[in-house]
Amino acid sequence: MTAFPTVATRTSALDRLAQFLPVAGEDYAKLRNLHQPEHDHVSRLSPYLRHRVLSESEVIDRARALHGNRADVFVAEVLWRAYWKGWLEMRPQVWRETQAGVYAGLARLDRDRDLAHTYEAACEGRTGIEGFDDWARALTTTGYMHNHQRMCFASIWIFTLHLPWELGADFFLRNLLDGDPASNTLSWRWVAGLHTPGKAYLAKSEVITSLSDGAHWPKGLATQSFVVAGPSNPVPGPCPQGGAWDRQLPTALLLHEDDLSPDWLLNAGLRPQSTAFLVAPDARSPRPVSPLIKAFLRGAVEDCSRRLGPDLSSLHGPVQGPGAVDALVAWARQTGAAQVVTPFAPVGPVAGLLASLDKRLAAENIRLIRAMRPYDAALWPHATHGFSRFHQAARHLV
Ligand SMILES: Cc1cc2nc3c(=O)[nH]c(=O)nc-3n(C[C@H](O)[C@H](O)[C@H](O)COP(=O)(O)OP(=O)(O)OC[C@H]3O[C@@H](n4cnc5c(N)ncnc54)[C@H](O)[C@@H]3O)c2cc1C
């Protein structure tokens, strides 16, 4: 079983990228769906990309430099992340509805003992379904699950075990090192048939057996999907835009778990007089969040401080927990900054905290500037419809 680094550094991300690059062309296109114990034909870069220890642009550039258009399949997969983020930015209510669904699902478990037993067996890998149980256990011990296994896991969770999809999304979010509000929520909706109405994903036993080279023969899988109740896709609202900071004003920088490589801000001329870090792993779920995620975030923050400490000056934090917003207001006041610049946080727990912080800082006459990476600003507005329309536009923009 592949052991993921529970401590994240940019050096380990770059090492993994260098190790993977030779197979990012035709090999990836042909072999990426195989269920191999070591997952050697996929990049396993997602924990780094999720927290932007590594950026999508640099991964795309390196893959194209080596493979030219033979890297197209890999590049398309990397673009899915921006598609899901942009889609959710224009429909943030889907995140709120999903969170409400998690609470409703947990309340159902309190009322229904059979459902609660099935849920616990699914989370602990004790259902007796081959493959599914192995993937569940691998997820909780390594923080990773292969993409095709995620699709099959979600499908079995919903259509064979009849568990609420929101609880499955929550199980992933609190265990995956790459747990991401947009990619995770919207992929679960996609499997459930909510994203593309009428098109659910049904896991098939023979496909799992073939892709795992006979290692898993799951029995008793649902042979038909059913219509999963849930709100339909909302009409997209406007895509948010980033703000610009005033170079003349005293400035503080607030980094957070959604973007731990501020090089692009420093290269754009940002000179903070103080820098704070915000992490919010416990805000991912009402249930306990994996210690692997916490260790990964701790490592990534330490690594960022070590790498860029001299440019970031006067480091503070990481700030976390229920008093985080109060602590950040006190920090901002103490720095004497007139503006706090922060990388734009996409819809999710950090963006929620930043919304509260924004209001509190405004009362102190301090502006919160959400600076958007050019990659996000260029791609997100194209996520208005399905992925193929997005991809047509996006592949020429990166
Ligand atoms: C039910 C379900 C839940 C998921 N939850 C998450 C999640 O919480 N966080 C997350 O990052 N991804 C999620 N994914 C997408 C995908 O499974 C992972 O990004 C991928 O498996 C990560 O492994 P890798 O880095 O080896 O991928 P590779 O195959 O090497 O792909 C390279 C990169 O492309 C991106 N990527 C590839 N496929 C997808 C995809 N379908 N959607 C979005 N980005 C993609 C990732 O950044 C990935 O690191 C989910 C998929 C499903 C079906």
Side-chain angles (χ1 to χ4, degrees), residues 20 28 42-46 49-50 74 77-78 80-81 84 144-147 150-151 154 172-173 176 178-180 183-184 187-188 191:
F20 167 72
Y28 180 83
V42 288
S43 72
R44 291 183 266 128
L45 288 171
S46 52
L49 290 166
R50 153 67 177 95
F74 177 68
E77 293 301 319
V78 175
W80 270 99
R81 179 178 295 282
W84 288 135
Y144 180 76
M145 194 189 289
H146 176 276
N147 181 58
R150 295 184 199 203
M151 289 160 56
F172 271 20
L173 201 58
L176 283 167
D178 64 27
D180 176 82
S183 292
N184 187 55
S187 297
W188 274 85
V191 172

Side-chain angles (χ1 to χ4, degrees), residues 359-393:
K359 287 197 193 111
R360 295 280 307 278
L361 289 180
E364 306 272 338
N365 267 334
I366 303 173
R367 291 171 63 210
L368 183 70
I369 313 287
R370 297 170 176 85
M372 195 180 280
R373 284 189 184 243
Y375 179 91
D376 297 338
L379 297 188
W380 288 358
H382 294 280
T384 48
H385 294 75
F387 179 75
S388 52
R389 194 193 290 202
F390 169 83
H391 184 231
Q392 289 300 324

Side-chain angles (χ1 to χ4, degrees), residues 38-271:
E38 297 298 326
H39 305 302
D40 281 338
H41 291 105
V42 288
S43 72
R44 291 183 266 128
L45 288 171
S46 52
Y48 304 115
L49 290 166
R50 153 67 177 95
H51 302 101
R52 286 200 154 146
V53 174
L54 209 58
S55 74
E56 288 109 304
S57 322
E58 65 187 315
V59 170
I60 291 174
D61 290 350
R62 296 273 302 274
R64 279 182 173 159
L66 192 63
H67 297 285
N69 57 15
R70 291 192 312 280
D72 284 355
V73 172
F74 177 68
V75 170
E77 293 301 319
V78 175
L79 287 171
W80 270 99
R81 179 178 295 282
Y83 170 67
W84 288 135
K85 277 185 178 175
W87 196 95
L88 196 59
E89 284 306 316
M90 292 186 263
R91 302 154 181 95
Q93 63 270 49
V94 172
W95 168 245
R96 293 193 293 273
E97 287 159 4
T98 305
Q99 285 181 301
V102 173
Y103 283 98
L106 291 173
R108 268 185 73 193
L109 298 185
D110 286 341
R111 295 192 302 270
D112 184 338
R113 286 190 67 77
D114 288 345
L115 193 73
H117 281 137
T118 309
Y119 169 77
E120 278 151 25
C123 295
E124 290 165 18
R126 294 187 285 101
T127 62
I129 301 175
E130 262 190 49
F132 182 94
D133 286 350
D134 306 81
W135 309 328
R137 287 195 299 267
L139 170 62
T140 51
T141 50
T142 68
Y144 180 76
M145 194 189 289
H146 176 276
N147 181 58
H148 192 263
Q149 294 172 348
R150 295 184 199 203
M151 289 160 56
C152 294
F153 185 96
S155 176
I156 295 169
W157 179 284
I158 298 166
F159 298 116
T160 299
L161 298 174
H162 297 264
L163 288 165
W165 73 267
E166 295 95 332
L167 289 187
D170 174 67
F171 174 59
F172 271 20
L173 201 58
R174 60 193 171 81
N175 281 291
L176 283 167
L177 287 186
D178 64 27
D180 176 82
S183 292
N184 187 55
T185 306
L186 302 177
S187 297
W188 274 85
R189 286 182 88 253
W190 177 84
V191 172
L194 289 165
H195 185 74
T196 318
K199 274 200 190 167
Y201 178 77
L202 196 62
K204 296 212 167 72
S205 185
E206 62 275 19
V207 175
I208 295 169
T209 304
S210 152
L211 289 174
S212 67
D213 201 17
H216 296 134
W217 296 72
K219 313 260 179 342
L221 300 193
T223 51
Q224 276 190 330
S225 59
F226 49 82
V227 176
V228 173
S232 51
N233 292 336
V235 175
C239 195
Q241 293 178 346
W245 68 88
D246 183 334
R247 284 164 188 271
Q248 311 303 322
L249 294 178
T251 302
L253 173 62
L254 174 59
L255 294 176
H256 51 72
E257 66 188 56
D258 293 346
D259 192 333
L260 286 170
S261 290
D263 316 53
W264 63 286
L265 289 169
L266 303 176
N267 293 339
L270 188 80
R271 294 292 172 264

